[in-house]
Amino acid sequence: MATSSLTFKHTQTDADICQLIWFLITCVTFNGDGQYFTVPSVLPLSYYSTPGYWGDYVCSTWAGKNGADCTVVVKDNGAGTPGYCRNGVGSPGADLQLERVDATVGTDIYDAACWQIALALAASKGLSDSGFSPTRLFTYADNATKRLCPDVKAIRASTDNYLYGYRESISDARLAYSLRLVGNNFWATDPLWGNCRYGHYISFDSSIKDEIGSVTWPDWKPITGENGWAFLIGPLQASYLQSIATLGYVPFEAESIQNALYVLYAFQQMQCEIGAFYYAPGGSDGNTGPIPTGEISVENNFSCLAGLVIFKQVLQTTLSKDNSLTDDDKAKIRSAINLISILIWGGKTPFGQTDGLLQFFQTKAWNAAEGIFYQGGTYNQGIWAPTTEPKAVDVDTWGLTVLGSATIDDWFGAGTAYTLWQNVKDWGSFSHNGQLWGVGYSNADNHSIMSAEWTAGAINAVRCLMVDYQPDSTKFASLQADHDAMMTNILNLRTDKYLAAGFPDGLEAPYFPYVNPPEGHLAFLYASKRYAIPFGWYANPIPSTTSTSWTIYLHYDYNPFQLAGTYTSMDWTAPSYDPTDDSGPWNSGVLTLTVQNNVTDGEIMPSYRKDATTPPVWTPLLTTSIPVNGKAMIQLPANAYAFSVAYHKIDDSSNNWYGACQLSQSQIMRLKNGQMITAIWTNDQGTGTCQI
């Protein structure tokens, strides 16, 4: 084990892990060739979900017990408008329809990040079987990164309705968040449609003539925590695992680094002055309706802190070892490292002063009265209002893991981290016959449900505690007993053990074949029973990509919140950085600017010249033009020879483009990051100066 001298109890064999990997690369994957939301090749889904589970169990047995109804009449809503959607909203079974569509053909980008780490981790350990090799697993892990590349514009939150930091939208897809749940197409087929046993639940309005059986993709939520996993933790851990043994660093041109560099812009937009990142851009919907203004999820911020540290460490290693770096590459890396330091320890970003993440966790997120972290809260009009109920298990287990017990004890008193775990057990654990089996989701569960994913996260946290509390034999013995009990009993949620475990209100034997993967495949169920989680979604006893992935981390003693998987507490001493340097990752060599279109009745395209060669070669700075009265964000090389804006009159059928305005090299050199360039028509040649 790489992180300490401890040897942890393990309850799965390498043969079991092979069967879990088979599940991850066959039962919860699809081929993205030609799909609207994706890129070609194998991509993950969040769940192994079958029509029988939804039709025979949820729509019949469960619905009968809970007074629910799966019946929907699918209609077109807002046809011909930007808000167009087709679904059963207004019908009794509308929510159940959206849930089963999401679970059947959707991928939460957090789940995809977990999937790619699990595959890369198994590959790095040399795991192979007849049919898969480390090379194949690394290739699949890379696919999850490619799916989020900015040319797959359909899954980026780069439209006007999303206001980052409640300030402005981001029109450049490279800089924007991804949606948290992505599908394999804009049209999603209801899994019950076309099945003679279940089709009676669904009817379509008589006006619908095309795409019968399908609804439009139902989920358009860009969530900060998922983006922390999808752009920082997942891809960078996978790249590190793949490259560290051969190169010793992640190459600068790797898609994992390039994607993360660009999306740092969105993260800095989303950080407020007290140091926390907002839960989602303004204008986003939540799980149960509009998100309150200023909503903050503490768990999301722990994910981002871990991801930012991983990114910083990856960049530092690349800077020191990648001999192919140009001076411009090195400047970009140093600037990004400085920006990450500001986000963590505080300073001035292009969007204002921030206390940094650590200050938020120490002074705002800690609930001293109860010895736990707040689930979240709101920061609105300068006021922080924490949410005290319900309590969340994962915010505490993840917070303990990311900050480390040494830091928590230093901030809040010796033994606080240990007591934190005792408090979580008191209100969030699941026990059977007096023995600890795992944890649920919240204090509102009444100890009635067990989650495989959240139990694995609790085991991960206890391992971190065990490393730091080794000198205290009493506390260590208690922690080891909890760890070993959960390691043994998490197996009760594995598909080959579930029925014999006898979970209260669990899935009955007649329905279990609907959730049992094919022979030779093992998986962990998401939860012990179907249950309305207090945070706005349903847990289902169906095989889960994330639950399965987390148990692979445990098998290989790998903490996904730290690069290389260590369990030791991090040193949070502030590094040497410039808290007043508000340059983003592209300011050294590239300027982030906004271009406003003030050309009357014309669309515009900003471009630049690299040098003075003739004839001049102009390179467009956007892939689509800026519409009348619109604006867009650009990245202009700071050493560009010239900048120009061309315009096209929208009533000109000849599609001719003409010059509007320009900036010379000397004018470009005086620009500052974050400024706005206003494009106006200046003269017949378009050589006049654009407004700055």
Side-chain angles (χ1 to χ4, degrees):
M1 183 174 146
T3 57
S4 79
S5 59
L6 288 179
T7 299
F8 296 121
K9 177 184 178 71
H10 295 101
T11 52
Q12 298 196 94
T13 66
D14 286 347
D16 294 335
I17 301 302
C18 279
Q19 292 196 54
L20 296 178
I21 293 293
W22 272 118
F23 169 79
L24 291 177
I25 65 175
T26 57
C27 297
V28 284
T29 57
F30 68 98
N31 194 300
D33 288 338
Q35 300 291 346
Y36 181 63
F37 280 111
T38 62
V39 293
S41 199
V42 173
L43 294 164
L45 296 166
S46 285
Y47 298 102
Y48 176 71
S49 177
T50 64
Y53 171 77
W54 299 104
D56 277 354
Y57 179 69
V58 174
C59 289
S60 180
T61 300
W62 178 86
K65 293 178 181 177
N66 292 275
D69 186 348
C70 276
T71 303
V72 290
V73 178
V74 178
K75 299 179 180 180
D76 282 336
N77 301 294
T81 68
Y84 166 72
C85 59
R86 176 180 294 172
N87 53 43
V89 170
S91 300
D95 289 343
L96 290 173
Q97 181 184 51
L98 297 183
E99 181 193 359
R100 64 178 174 263
V101 168
D102 286 349
T104 302
V105 297
T107 310
D108 189 300
I109 56 177
Y110 158 66
D111 298 338
C114 291
W115 178 83
Q116 69 180 150
I117 295 173
L119 297 188
L121 181 57
S124 73
K125 300 298 183 181
L127 189 72
S128 62
D129 198 11
S130 56
F132 73 77
S133 64
T135 299
R136 180 181 176 187
L137 298 183
F138 276 133
T139 298
Y140 284 3
D142 286 342
N143 291 344
T145 300
K146 294 180 185 296
R147 189 185 207 179
L148 295 184
C149 286
D151 54 334
V152 191
K153 297 185 180 71
I155 63 172
R156 293 295 189 103
S158 54
T159 51
D160 290 344
N161 54 302
Y162 298 118
L163 296 178
Y164 288 80
Y166 300 94
R167 298 183 191 90
E168 60 184 47
S169 58
I170 296 178
S171 58
D172 188 337
R174 295 173 298 179
L175 308 177
Y177 276 178
S178 168
L179 303 175
R180 66 99 184 243
L181 193 69
V182 294
N184 59 8
N185 210 319
F186 179 74
W187 291 102
T189 301
D190 188 318
L192 301 188
W193 175 257
N195 189 302
C196 60
R197 294 177 62 185
Y198 318 124
H200 64 279
Y201 288 115
I202 310 163
S203 59
F204 282 76
D205 186 85
S206 59
S207 65
I208 296 176
K209 305 298 182 185
D210 62 328
E211 298 289 350
I212 296 295
S214 297
V215 296
T216 52
W217 184 244
D219 198 291
W220 301 86
K221 303 176 180 68
I223 306 299
T224 292
E226 274 86 350
N227 278 271
W229 277 86
F231 285 107
L232 303 177
I233 299 177
L236 293 169
Q237 288 278 35
S239 288
Y240 177 86
L241 288 164
Q242 185 169 5
S243 63
I244 195 65
T246 53
L247 293 176
Y249 64 91
V250 180
F252 181 65
E253 67 272 12
E255 289 170 331
S256 58
I257 287 183
Q258 294 302 313
N259 282 357
L261 278 173
Y262 277 113
V263 86
L264 272 181
Y265 183 84
F267 281 107
Q268 63 182 323
Q269 277 268 40
M270 291 291 287
Q271 191 172 34
C272 66
E273 60 185 307
I274 62 172
F277 295 111
Y278 291 116
Y279 175 67
S284 305
D285 282 334
N287 293 324
T288 57
I291 297 172
T293 300
E295 181 82 359
I296 288 170
S297 162
V298 174
E299 172 243 285
N300 279 202
N301 279 273
F302 282 130
S303 298
C304 291
L305 176 60
L308 289 168
V309 172
I310 289 170
F311 191 22
K312 182 173 179 283
Q313 292 171 332
V314 166
L315 289 174
Q316 288 170 328
T317 305
T318 300
L319 183 62
S320 66
K321 294 186 176 182
D322 190 345
N323 295 324
S324 68
L325 294 173
T326 66
D327 288 343
D328 191 48
D329 294 337
K330 294 175 182 178
K332 291 174 182 176
I333 291 174
R334 293 189 183 102
S335 185
I337 291 171
N338 195 77
L339 173 60
I340 292 169
S341 298
I342 291 173
L343 299 178
I344 295 174
W345 285 277
K348 181 177 179 289
T349 74
F351 308 101
Q353 190 74 22
T354 180
D355 291 340
L357 280 166
L358 290 175
Q359 184 77 357
F360 168 73
F361 292 131
Q362 184 176 7
T363 64
K364 301 293 192 299
W366 180 248
N367 182 347
E370 304 208 41
I372 58 174
F373 288 101
Y374 292 115
Q375 174 231 323
T378 58
Y379 181 69
N380 193 13
Q381 297 182 340
I383 298 173
W384 163 244
T387 300
T388 57
E389 292 291 337
K391 301 175 178 66
V393 169
D394 65 341
V395 69
D396 291 300
T397 56
W398 286 18
L400 195 158
T401 305
V402 175
L403 288 176
S405 55
T407 296
I408 292 174
D409 285 0
D410 180 59
W411 284 354
F412 308 121
T416 300
Y418 175 83
T419 303
L420 168 62
W421 166 241
Q422 306 309 311
N423 292 337
V424 171
K425 277 196 304 178
D426 184 55
W427 49 257
S429 62
F430 177 87
S431 296
H432 190 70
N433 293 330
Q435 184 180 29
L436 176 67
W437 277 23
V439 298
Y441 300 97
S442 78
N443 61 319
D445 301 341
N446 295 316
H447 306 281
S448 67
I449 185 168
M450 179 175 169
S451 162
E453 176 200 346
W454 293 34
T455 296
I459 294 170
N460 194 62
V462 170
R463 287 184 173 185
C464 294
L465 285 168
M466 290 171 68
V467 169
D468 284 347
Y469 280 99
Q470 287 182 78
D472 188 324
S473 59
T474 302
K475 289 184 174 63
F476 181 83
S478 172
L479 293 167
Q480 185 168 42
D482 289 347
H483 171 273
D484 293 356
M486 290 191 291
M487 279 295 292
T488 297
N489 291 305
I490 195 174
L491 291 182
N492 290 317
L493 284 172
R494 202 171 71 182
T495 46
D496 61 333
K497 307 284 188 183
Y498 174 77
L499 280 181
F503 282 100
D505 302 316
L507 196 66
E508 296 92 337
Y511 304 109
F512 185 71
Y514 295 132
V515 305
N516 195 23
E519 185 177 354
H521 302 72
L522 288 175
F524 283 79
L525 305 184
Y526 184 70
S528 58
K529 66 176 182 178
R530 180 166 168 81
Y531 171 70
I533 299 172
F535 309 117
W537 74 96
Y538 269 95
N540 283 287
I542 59 178
S544 159
T545 298
T546 302
S547 297
T548 304
S549 297
W550 267 92
T551 67
I552 294 173
Y553 309 158
L554 296 175
H555 179 76
Y556 289 120
D557 297 338
Y558 197 87
N559 171 16
F561 291 112
Q562 287 201 42
L563 197 65
T566 180
Y567 293 112
T568 54
S569 286
M570 288 192 61
D571 179 5
W572 292 106
T573 302
S576 176
Y577 72 102
D578 183 357
T580 66
D581 181 1
D582 64 357
S583 61
W586 302 108
N587 194 35
S588 296
V590 179
L591 294 160
T592 299
L593 305 164
T594 300
V595 177
Q596 170 71 44
N597 181 5
N598 279 17
V599 177
T600 304
D601 298 330
E603 58 181 337
I604 65 169
M605 173 57 72
S607 304
Y608 78 101
R609 286 178 66 180
K610 296 180 180 179
D611 49 46
T613 56
T614 56
V617 177
W618 292 95
T619 302
L621 288 163
L622 295 170
T623 56
T624 58
S625 58
I626 303 175
V628 176
N629 298 323
K631 63 181 179 180
M633 203 162 296
I634 63 167
Q635 277 73 50
L636 173 65
N639 61 352
Y641 177 75
F643 168 86
S644 75
V645 175
Y647 75 92
H648 164 73
K649 289 287 187 177
I650 57 176
D651 58 358
D652 182 359
S653 60
S654 62
N655 199 34
N656 291 324
W657 287 80
Y658 306 95
C661 61
Q662 293 186 5
L663 294 176
S664 66
Q665 188 175 44
S666 62
Q667 291 166 329
I668 293 171
M669 291 175 64
R670 293 196 296 271
L671 289 171
K672 294 185 181 297
N673 203 41
Q675 285 185 302
M676 177 179 288
I677 299 174
T678 302
I680 58 172
W681 182 82
T682 55
N683 56 42
D684 289 341
Q685 292 77 39
T687 56
T689 302
C690 301
Q691 295 180 348
I692 300 172

